[in-house]
PDB file of all heavy atoms in Angstrom:
ATOM      1  N   ARG F  10       3.201 -11.754  13.642  1.00 95.00           N
ATOM      2  CA  ARG F  10       1.852 -11.857  14.257  1.00 95.00           C
ATOM      3  C   ARG F  10       1.833 -11.661  15.746  1.00 95.00           C
ATOM      4  O   ARG F  10       0.771 -11.863  16.409  1.00 95.00           O
ATOM      5  CB  ARG F  10       1.243 -13.213  13.924  1.00 95.00           C
ATOM      6  CG  ARG F  10       0.987 -13.397  12.460  1.00 95.00           C
ATOM      7  CD  ARG F  10       0.673 -14.833  12.233  1.00 95.00           C
ATOM      8  NE  ARG F  10      -0.181 -15.019  11.099  1.00 95.00           N
ATOM      9  CZ  ARG F  10      -0.603 -16.175  10.684  1.00 95.00           C
ATOM     10  NH1 ARG F  10      -0.314 -17.264  11.296  1.00 95.00           N
ATOM     11  NH2 ARG F  10      -1.394 -16.231   9.564  1.00 95.00           N
ATOM     12  N   LEU F  11       2.983 -11.422  16.306  1.00 93.00           N
ATOM     13  CA  LEU F  11       3.161 -11.242  17.770  1.00 93.00           C
ATOM     14  C   LEU F  11       2.841 -12.498  18.619  1.00 93.00           C
ATOM     15  O   LEU F  11       2.442 -12.457  19.743  1.00 93.00           O
ATOM     16  CB  LEU F  11       2.343 -10.032  18.318  1.00 93.00           C
ATOM     17  CG  LEU F  11       2.611  -8.731  17.651  1.00 93.00           C
ATOM     18  CD1 LEU F  11       1.676  -7.637  18.212  1.00 93.00           C
ATOM     19  CD2 LEU F  11       4.029  -8.306  17.854  1.00 93.00           C
ATOM     20  N   ARG F  12       3.102 -13.620  17.930  1.00 95.00           N
ATOM     21  CA  ARG F  12       2.900 -14.915  18.598  1.00 95.00           C
ATOM     22  C   ARG F  12       4.201 -15.468  19.228  1.00 95.00           C
ATOM     23  O   ARG F  12       4.218 -16.345  20.028  1.00 95.00           O
ATOM     24  CB  ARG F  12       2.339 -15.938  17.685  1.00 95.00           C
ATOM     25  CG  ARG F  12       0.955 -15.623  17.256  1.00 95.00           C
ATOM     26  CD  ARG F  12       0.433 -16.631  16.343  1.00 95.00           C
ATOM     27  NE  ARG F  12      -0.990 -16.322  16.009  1.00 95.00           N
ATOM     28  CZ  ARG F  12      -1.635 -16.855  15.009  1.00 95.00           C
ATOM     29  NH1 ARG F  12      -1.079 -17.818  14.279  1.00 95.00           N
ATOM     30  NH2 ARG F  12      -2.858 -16.471  14.758  1.00 95.00           N
ATOM     31  N   ARG F  13       5.340 -14.874  18.787  1.00 93.00           N
ATOM     32  CA  ARG F  13       6.683 -15.241  19.297  1.00 93.00           C
ATOM     33  C   ARG F  13       7.336 -13.925  19.588  1.00 93.00           C
ATOM     34  O   ARG F  13       7.015 -12.885  19.157  1.00 93.00           O
ATOM     35  CB  ARG F  13       7.449 -16.043  18.279  1.00 93.00           C
ATOM     36  CG  ARG F  13       6.856 -17.206  17.704  1.00 93.00           C
ATOM     37  CD  ARG F  13       6.940 -18.576  18.497  1.00 93.00           C
ATOM     38  NE  ARG F  13       8.274 -18.978  18.830  1.00 93.00           N
ATOM     39  CZ  ARG F  13       8.946 -19.901  18.219  1.00 93.00           C
ATOM     40  NH1 ARG F  13       8.542 -20.461  17.150  1.00 93.00           N
ATOM     41  NH2 ARG F  13      10.099 -20.317  18.696  1.00 93.00           N
ATOM     42  N   GLY F  14       8.435 -14.074  20.346  1.00 91.00           N
ATOM     43  CA  GLY F  14       9.219 -12.845  20.729  1.00 91.00           C
ATOM     44  C   GLY F  14      10.676 -13.034  20.281  1.00 91.00           C
ATOM     45  O   GLY F  14      11.141 -14.125  19.925  1.00 91.00           O
ATOM     46  N   PRO F  15      11.422 -11.957  20.195  1.00 90.00           N
ATOM     47  CA  PRO F  15      12.895 -12.021  19.778  1.00 90.00           C
ATOM     48  C   PRO F  15      13.665 -12.972  20.690  1.00 90.00           C
ATOM     49  O   PRO F  15      14.632 -13.546  20.226  1.00 90.00           O
ATOM     50  CB  PRO F  15      13.406 -10.560  19.823  1.00 90.00           C
ATOM     51  CG  PRO F  15      12.178  -9.739  19.953  1.00 90.00           C
ATOM     52  CD  PRO F  15      11.079 -10.603  20.460  1.00 90.00           C
ATOM     53  N   GLN F  16      13.317 -13.063  21.946  1.00 89.00           N
ATOM     54  CA  GLN F  16      13.993 -13.939  22.843  1.00 89.00           C
ATOM     55  C   GLN F  16      13.918 -15.424  22.493  1.00 89.00           C
ATOM     56  O   GLN F  16      14.716 -16.260  22.939  1.00 89.00           O
ATOM     57  CB  GLN F  16      13.522 -13.773  24.317  1.00 89.00           C
ATOM     58  CG  GLN F  16      12.124 -14.207  24.547  1.00 89.00           C
ATOM     59  CD  GLN F  16      11.061 -13.178  24.264  1.00 89.00           C
ATOM     60  OE1 GLN F  16      11.322 -12.159  23.610  1.00 89.00           O
ATOM     61  NE2 GLN F  16       9.875 -13.436  24.688  1.00 89.00           N
ATOM     62  N   ASP F  17      12.960 -15.733  21.648  1.00 90.00           N
ATOM     63  CA  ASP F  17      12.830 -17.111  21.147  1.00 90.00           C
ATOM     64  C   ASP F  17      13.710 -17.526  19.999  1.00 90.00           C
ATOM     65  O   ASP F  17      13.826 -18.662  19.595  1.00 90.00           O
ATOM     66  CB  ASP F  17      11.388 -17.445  20.699  1.00 90.00           C
ATOM     67  CG  ASP F  17      10.376 -17.183  21.780  1.00 90.00           C
ATOM     68  OD1 ASP F  17      10.756 -17.471  23.004  1.00 90.00           O
ATOM     69  OD2 ASP F  17       9.262 -16.820  21.564  1.00 90.00           O
ATOM     70  N   LEU F  18      14.359 -16.480  19.441  1.00 89.00           N
ATOM     71  CA  LEU F  18      15.325 -16.678  18.312  1.00 89.00           C
ATOM     72  C   LEU F  18      16.677 -17.170  18.896  1.00 89.00           C
ATOM     73  O   LEU F  18      17.075 -16.738  19.920  1.00 89.00           O
ATOM     74  CB  LEU F  18      15.539 -15.398  17.571  1.00 89.00           C
ATOM     75  CG  LEU F  18      15.989 -15.320  16.168  1.00 89.00           C
ATOM     76  CD1 LEU F  18      15.056 -16.179  15.249  1.00 89.00           C
ATOM     77  CD2 LEU F  18      16.108 -13.922  15.658  1.00 89.00           C
ATOM     78  N   PRO F  19      17.311 -18.101  18.161  1.00 86.00           N
ATOM     79  CA  PRO F  19      18.535 -18.586  18.697  1.00 86.00           C
ATOM     80  C   PRO F  19      19.664 -17.498  18.626  1.00 86.00           C
ATOM     81  O   PRO F  19      19.673 -16.661  17.757  1.00 86.00           O
ATOM     82  CB  PRO F  19      18.937 -19.738  17.761  1.00 86.00           C
ATOM     83  CG  PRO F  19      18.092 -19.567  16.537  1.00 86.00           C
ATOM     84  CD  PRO F  19      16.893 -18.775  16.968  1.00 86.00           C
ATOM     85  N   TYR F  20      20.569 -17.541  19.577  1.00 89.00           N
ATOM     86  CA  TYR F  20      21.692 -16.640  19.601  1.00 89.00           C
ATOM     87  C   TYR F  20      22.673 -17.094  18.590  1.00 89.00           C
ATOM     88  O   TYR F  20      23.495 -18.033  18.887  1.00 89.00           O
ATOM     89  CB  TYR F  20      22.275 -16.627  20.997  1.00 89.00           C
ATOM     90  CG  TYR F  20      23.289 -15.499  21.270  1.00 89.00           C
ATOM     91  CD1 TYR F  20      22.876 -14.255  21.690  1.00 89.00           C
ATOM     92  CD2 TYR F  20      24.664 -15.723  21.054  1.00 89.00           C
ATOM     93  CE1 TYR F  20      23.789 -13.231  21.967  1.00 89.00           C
ATOM     94  CE2 TYR F  20      25.572 -14.692  21.272  1.00 89.00           C
ATOM     95  CZ  TYR F  20      25.113 -13.449  21.748  1.00 89.00           C
ATOM     96  OH  TYR F  20      26.042 -12.466  21.949  1.00 89.00           O
ATOM     97  N   SER F  21      22.722 -16.490  17.413  1.00 91.00           N
ATOM     98  CA  SER F  21      23.576 -16.999  16.350  1.00 91.00           C
ATOM     99  C   SER F  21      24.137 -15.863  15.523  1.00 91.00           C
ATOM    100  O   SER F  21      23.379 -15.084  14.907  1.00 91.00           O
ATOM    101  CB  SER F  21      22.718 -17.905  15.408  1.00 91.00           C
ATOM    102  OG  SER F  21      23.471 -18.173  14.250  1.00 91.00           O
ATOM    103  N   SER F  22      25.499 -15.746  15.554  1.00 94.00           N
ATOM    104  CA  SER F  22      26.152 -14.713  14.801  1.00 94.00           C
ATOM    105  C   SER F  22      25.926 -15.006  13.293  1.00 94.00           C
ATOM    106  O   SER F  22      25.823 -14.029  12.459  1.00 94.00           O
ATOM    107  CB  SER F  22      27.610 -14.715  15.073  1.00 94.00           C
ATOM    108  OG  SER F  22      27.830 -14.409  16.430  1.00 94.00           O
ATOM    109  N   ALA F  23      26.010 -16.227  12.811  1.00 95.00           N
ATOM    110  CA  ALA F  23      25.825 -16.595  11.402  1.00 95.00           C
ATOM    111  C   ALA F  23      24.413 -16.135  10.919  1.00 95.00           C
ATOM    112  O   ALA F  23      24.297 -15.629   9.845  1.00 95.00           O
ATOM    113  CB  ALA F  23      26.014 -18.032  11.198  1.00 95.00           C
ATOM    114  N   LEU F  24      23.426 -16.287  11.714  1.00 94.00           N
ATOM    115  CA  LEU F  24      22.036 -15.895  11.369  1.00 94.00           C
ATOM    116  C   LEU F  24      22.001 -14.383  11.281  1.00 94.00           C
ATOM    117  O   LEU F  24      21.409 -13.867  10.304  1.00 94.00           O
ATOM    118  CB  LEU F  24      21.031 -16.430  12.369  1.00 94.00           C
ATOM    119  CG  LEU F  24      19.600 -16.033  12.084  1.00 94.00           C
ATOM    120  CD1 LEU F  24      19.147 -16.547  10.817  1.00 94.00           C
ATOM    121  CD2 LEU F  24      18.732 -16.450  13.265  1.00 94.00           C
ATOM    122  N   LEU F  25      22.592 -13.695  12.170  1.00 95.00           N
ATOM    123  CA  LEU F  25      22.621 -12.196  12.142  1.00 95.00           C
ATOM    124  C   LEU F  25      23.324 -11.698  10.867  1.00 95.00           C
ATOM    125  O   LEU F  25      22.809 -10.762  10.181  1.00 95.00           O
ATOM    126  CB  LEU F  25      23.299 -11.603  13.375  1.00 95.00           C
ATOM    127  CG  LEU F  25      23.383 -10.133  13.520  1.00 95.00           C
ATOM    128  CD1 LEU F  25      22.035  -9.481  13.451  1.00 95.00           C
ATOM    129  CD2 LEU F  25      24.170  -9.681  14.698  1.00 95.00           C
ATOM    130  N   VAL F  26      24.406 -12.273  10.525  1.00 96.00           N
ATOM    131  CA  VAL F  26      25.153 -11.809   9.327  1.00 96.00           C
ATOM    132  C   VAL F  26      24.337 -12.169   8.076  1.00 96.00           C
ATOM    133  O   VAL F  26      24.208 -11.315   7.183  1.00 96.00           O
ATOM    134  CB  VAL F  26      26.531 -12.519   9.238  1.00 96.00           C
ATOM    135  CG1 VAL F  26      27.176 -12.296   7.889  1.00 96.00           C
ATOM    136  CG2 VAL F  26      27.485 -11.995  10.324  1.00 96.00           C
ATOM    137  N   LEU F  27      23.732 -13.371   8.035  1.00 95.00           N
ATOM    138  CA  LEU F  27      22.884 -13.723   6.883  1.00 95.00           C
ATOM    139  C   LEU F  27      21.746 -12.718   6.683  1.00 95.00           C
ATOM    140  O   LEU F  27      21.468 -12.265   5.596  1.00 95.00           O
ATOM    141  CB  LEU F  27      22.359 -15.154   7.060  1.00 95.00           C
ATOM    142  CG  LEU F  27      21.373 -15.633   6.021  1.00 95.00           C
ATOM    143  CD1 LEU F  27      22.025 -15.708   4.652  1.00 95.00           C
ATOM    144  CD2 LEU F  27      20.759 -16.939   6.431  1.00 95.00           C
ATOM    145  N   LEU F  28      21.102 -12.457   7.804  1.00 96.00           N
ATOM    146  CA  LEU F  28      19.947 -11.501   7.719  1.00 96.00           C
ATOM    147  C   LEU F  28      20.371 -10.125   7.392  1.00 96.00           C
ATOM    148  O   LEU F  28      19.685  -9.383   6.667  1.00 96.00           O
ATOM    149  CB  LEU F  28      19.135 -11.530   9.012  1.00 96.00           C
ATOM    150  CG  LEU F  28      18.402 -12.812   9.300  1.00 96.00           C
ATOM    151  CD1 LEU F  28      17.875 -12.793  10.760  1.00 96.00           C
ATOM    152  CD2 LEU F  28      17.279 -13.030   8.334  1.00 96.00           C
ATOM    153  N   ALA F  29      21.565  -9.661   7.815  1.00 97.00           N
ATOM    154  CA  ALA F  29      22.101  -8.336   7.436  1.00 97.00           C
ATOM    155  C   ALA F  29      22.360  -8.278   5.954  1.00 97.00           C
ATOM    156  O   ALA F  29      22.030  -7.309   5.314  1.00 97.00           O
ATOM    157  CB  ALA F  29      23.315  -8.057   8.264  1.00 97.00           C
ATOM    158  N   VAL F  30      22.965  -9.352   5.414  1.00 97.00           N
ATOM    159  CA  VAL F  30      23.276  -9.385   3.992  1.00 97.00           C
ATOM    160  C   VAL F  30      21.936  -9.381   3.236  1.00 97.00           C
ATOM    161  O   VAL F  30      21.833  -8.603   2.211  1.00 97.00           O
ATOM    162  CB  VAL F  30      24.109 -10.595   3.658  1.00 97.00           C
ATOM    163  CG1 VAL F  30      24.212 -10.789   2.150  1.00 97.00           C
ATOM    164  CG2 VAL F  30      25.559 -10.441   4.205  1.00 97.00           C
ATOM    165  N   LEU F  31      21.035 -10.204   3.632  1.00 96.00           N
ATOM    166  CA  LEU F  31      19.741 -10.203   2.924  1.00 96.00           C
ATOM    167  C   LEU F  31      18.980  -8.833   3.035  1.00 96.00           C
ATOM    168  O   LEU F  31      18.358  -8.441   2.003  1.00 96.00           O
ATOM    169  CB  LEU F  31      18.851 -11.342   3.466  1.00 96.00           C
ATOM    170  CG  LEU F  31      19.215 -12.748   3.073  1.00 96.00           C
ATOM    171  CD1 LEU F  31      18.314 -13.732   3.871  1.00 96.00           C
ATOM    172  CD2 LEU F  31      19.093 -13.009   1.641  1.00 96.00           C
ATOM    173  N   SER F  32      19.062  -8.227   4.136  1.00 96.00           N
ATOM    174  CA  SER F  32      18.463  -6.953   4.315  1.00 96.00           C
ATOM    175  C   SER F  32      19.026  -5.922   3.359  1.00 96.00           C
ATOM    176  O   SER F  32      18.303  -5.149   2.718  1.00 96.00           O
ATOM    177  CB  SER F  32      18.615  -6.468   5.748  1.00 96.00           C
ATOM    178  OG  SER F  32      18.072  -5.218   5.946  1.00 96.00           O
ATOM    179  N   VAL F  33      20.332  -5.824   3.265  1.00 97.00           N
ATOM    180  CA  VAL F  33      21.004  -4.919   2.408  1.00 97.00           C
ATOM    181  C   VAL F  33      20.629  -5.238   0.921  1.00 97.00           C
ATOM    182  O   VAL F  33      20.427  -4.324   0.102  1.00 97.00           O
ATOM    183  CB  VAL F  33      22.554  -4.871   2.642  1.00 97.00           C
ATOM    184  CG1 VAL F  33      23.236  -4.073   1.583  1.00 97.00           C
ATOM    185  CG2 VAL F  33      22.799  -4.325   3.989  1.00 97.00           C
ATOM    186  N   LEU F  34      20.696  -6.526   0.511  1.00 97.00           N
ATOM    187  CA  LEU F  34      20.421  -6.906  -0.834  1.00 97.00           C
ATOM    188  C   LEU F  34      18.974  -6.533  -1.232  1.00 97.00           C
ATOM    189  O   LEU F  34      18.762  -5.970  -2.331  1.00 97.00           O
ATOM    190  CB  LEU F  34      20.679  -8.395  -1.046  1.00 97.00           C
ATOM    191  CG  LEU F  34      22.130  -8.844  -1.115  1.00 97.00           C
ATOM    192  CD1 LEU F  34      22.256 -10.289  -1.238  1.00 97.00           C
ATOM    193  CD2 LEU F  34      22.822  -8.101  -2.237  1.00 97.00           C
ATOM    194  N   THR F  35      18.011  -6.902  -0.379  1.00 96.00           N
ATOM    195  CA  THR F  35      16.633  -6.587  -0.731  1.00 96.00           C
ATOM    196  C   THR F  35      16.371  -5.027  -0.716  1.00 96.00           C
ATOM    197  O   THR F  35      15.666  -4.540  -1.602  1.00 96.00           O
ATOM    198  CB  THR F  35      15.655  -7.244   0.225  1.00 96.00           C
ATOM    199  OG1 THR F  35      15.941  -6.886   1.570  1.00 96.00           O
ATOM    200  CG2 THR F  35      15.642  -8.745   0.078  1.00 96.00           C
ATOM    201  N   GLY F  36      16.985  -4.385   0.141  1.00 95.00           N
ATOM    202  CA  GLY F  36      16.864  -2.879   0.233  1.00 95.00           C
ATOM    203  C   GLY F  36      17.517  -2.245  -1.036  1.00 95.00           C
ATOM    204  O   GLY F  36      16.953  -1.298  -1.588  1.00 95.00           O
ATOM    205  N   THR F  37      18.621  -2.785  -1.486  1.00 96.00           N
ATOM    206  CA  THR F  37      19.256  -2.270  -2.671  1.00 96.00           C
ATOM    207  C   THR F  37      18.426  -2.545  -3.894  1.00 96.00           C
ATOM    208  O   THR F  37      18.260  -1.657  -4.723  1.00 96.00           O
ATOM    209  CB  THR F  37      20.694  -2.917  -2.832  1.00 96.00           C
ATOM    210  OG1 THR F  37      21.438  -2.609  -1.698  1.00 96.00           O
ATOM    211  CG2 THR F  37      21.365  -2.433  -4.110  1.00 96.00           C
ATOM    212  N   ILE F  38      17.895  -3.711  -3.984  1.00 95.00           N
ATOM    213  CA  ILE F  38      17.071  -4.059  -5.147  1.00 95.00           C
ATOM    214  C   ILE F  38      15.836  -3.169  -5.156  1.00 95.00           C
ATOM    215  O   ILE F  38      15.410  -2.600  -6.207  1.00 95.00           O
ATOM    216  CB  ILE F  38      16.698  -5.594  -5.133  1.00 95.00           C
ATOM    217  CG1 ILE F  38      17.915  -6.360  -5.484  1.00 95.00           C
ATOM    218  CG2 ILE F  38      15.552  -5.822  -6.200  1.00 95.00           C
ATOM    219  CD1 ILE F  38      17.741  -7.837  -5.161  1.00 95.00           C
ATOM    220  N   ASN F  39      15.198  -3.032  -4.027  1.00 94.00           N
ATOM    221  CA  ASN F  39      13.971  -2.184  -3.966  1.00 94.00           C
ATOM    222  C   ASN F  39      14.209  -0.717  -4.138  1.00 94.00           C
ATOM    223  O   ASN F  39      13.348  -0.003  -4.583  1.00 94.00           O
ATOM    224  CB  ASN F  39      13.253  -2.419  -2.635  1.00 94.00           C
ATOM    225  CG  ASN F  39      12.578  -3.805  -2.604  1.00 94.00           C
ATOM    226  OD1 ASN F  39      12.249  -4.424  -3.599  1.00 94.00           O
ATOM    227  ND2 ASN F  39      12.504  -4.381  -1.359  1.00 94.00           N
ATOM    228  N   GLY F  40      15.394  -0.240  -3.730  1.00 94.00           N
ATOM    229  CA  GLY F  40      15.666   1.185  -3.727  1.00 94.00           C
ATOM    230  C   GLY F  40      16.461   1.706  -4.902  1.00 94.00           C
ATOM    231  O   GLY F  40      16.762   2.856  -4.935  1.00 94.00           O
ATOM    232  N   ARG F  41      16.798   0.828  -5.850  1.00 95.00           N
ATOM    233  CA  ARG F  41      17.682   1.313  -6.978  1.00 95.00           C
ATOM    234  C   ARG F  41      17.003   2.305  -7.795  1.00 95.00           C
ATOM    235  O   ARG F  41      17.726   3.250  -8.292  1.00 95.00           O
ATOM    236  CB  ARG F  41      18.162   0.081  -7.792  1.00 95.00           C
ATOM    237  CG  ARG F  41      17.133  -0.575  -8.599  1.00 95.00           C
ATOM    238  CD  ARG F  41      17.618  -1.731  -9.440  1.00 95.00           C
ATOM    239  NE  ARG F  41      16.577  -2.259 -10.183  1.00 95.00           N
ATOM    240  CZ  ARG F  41      16.035  -3.458  -9.986  1.00 95.00           C
ATOM    241  NH1 ARG F  41      16.497  -4.182  -8.950  1.00 95.00           N
ATOM    242  NH2 ARG F  41      15.055  -3.884 -10.769  1.00 95.00           N
ATOM    243  N   GLU F  42      15.715   2.314  -8.062  1.00 94.00           N
ATOM    244  CA  GLU F  42      15.067   3.327  -8.773  1.00 94.00           C
ATOM    245  C   GLU F  42      14.957   4.673  -8.010  1.00 94.00           C
ATOM    246  O   GLU F  42      15.142   5.755  -8.561  1.00 94.00           O
ATOM    247  CB  GLU F  42      13.634   2.914  -9.192  1.00 94.00           C
ATOM    248  CG  GLU F  42      13.622   1.782 -10.124  1.00 94.00           C
ATOM    249  CD  GLU F  42      14.201   2.070 -11.490  1.00 94.00           C
ATOM    250  OE1 GLU F  42      14.039   3.228 -11.944  1.00 94.00           O
ATOM    251  OE2 GLU F  42      14.931   1.220 -12.060  1.00 94.00           O
ATOM    252  N   LEU F  43      14.710   4.585  -6.700  1.00 93.00           N
ATOM    253  CA  LEU F  43      14.599   5.712  -5.860  1.00 93.00           C
ATOM    254  C   LEU F  43      15.867   6.510  -5.733  1.00 93.00           C
ATOM    255  O   LEU F  43      15.953   7.696  -5.727  1.00 93.00           O
ATOM    256  CB  LEU F  43      14.128   5.273  -4.471  1.00 93.00           C
ATOM    257  CG  LEU F  43      14.023   6.394  -3.421  1.00 93.00           C
ATOM    258  CD1 LEU F  43      12.810   7.343  -3.771  1.00 93.00           C
ATOM    259  CD2 LEU F  43      13.673   5.787  -2.037  1.00 93.00           C
ATOM    260  N   PHE F  44      16.983   5.726  -5.602  1.00 94.00           N
ATOM    261  CA  PHE F  44      18.308   6.372  -5.422  1.00 94.00           C
ATOM    262  C   PHE F  44      19.077   6.602  -6.684  1.00 94.00           C
ATOM    263  O   PHE F  44      20.180   7.122  -6.694  1.00 94.00           O
ATOM    264  CB  PHE F  44      19.168   5.524  -4.418  1.00 94.00           C
ATOM    265  CG  PHE F  44      18.663   5.558  -3.045  1.00 94.00           C
ATOM    266  CD1 PHE F  44      17.896   4.523  -2.553  1.00 94.00           C
ATOM    267  CD2 PHE F  44      18.888   6.662  -2.286  1.00 94.00           C
ATOM    268  CE1 PHE F  44      17.487   4.554  -1.264  1.00 94.00           C
ATOM    269  CE2 PHE F  44      18.414   6.726  -0.954  1.00 94.00           C
ATOM    270  CZ  PHE F  44      17.705   5.661  -0.436  1.00 94.00           C
ATOM    271  N   GLY F  45      18.505   6.213  -7.823  1.00 93.00           N
ATOM    272  CA  GLY F  45      19.139   6.457  -9.118  1.00 93.00           C
ATOM    273  C   GLY F  45      20.240   5.461  -9.514  1.00 93.00           C
ATOM    274  O   GLY F  45      21.143   5.837 -10.267  1.00 93.00           O
TER     275      GLY F  45
END
């Protein structure tokens, strides 16, 4: 909603890894039909 900025997010490697894993998993689930 543009009420916060990325600079307000904590500097956390664990959070970055968690979000990367979630991103790949959700993208894989959503794209499995498209990519066969």
Side-chain angles (χ1 to χ4, degrees):
R10 292 173 153 176
L11 301 177
R12 294 182 178 165
R13 307 276 304 261
Q16 67 273 12
D17 299 329
L18 202 58
Y20 190 89
S21 170
S22 298
L24 179 61
L25 179 61
V26 169
L27 173 67
L28 291 170
V30 168
L31 287 174
S32 177
V33 169
L34 286 177
T35 57
T37 300
I38 290 167
N39 290 332
R41 68 178 183 253
E42 294 295 322
L43 177 68
F44 290 102

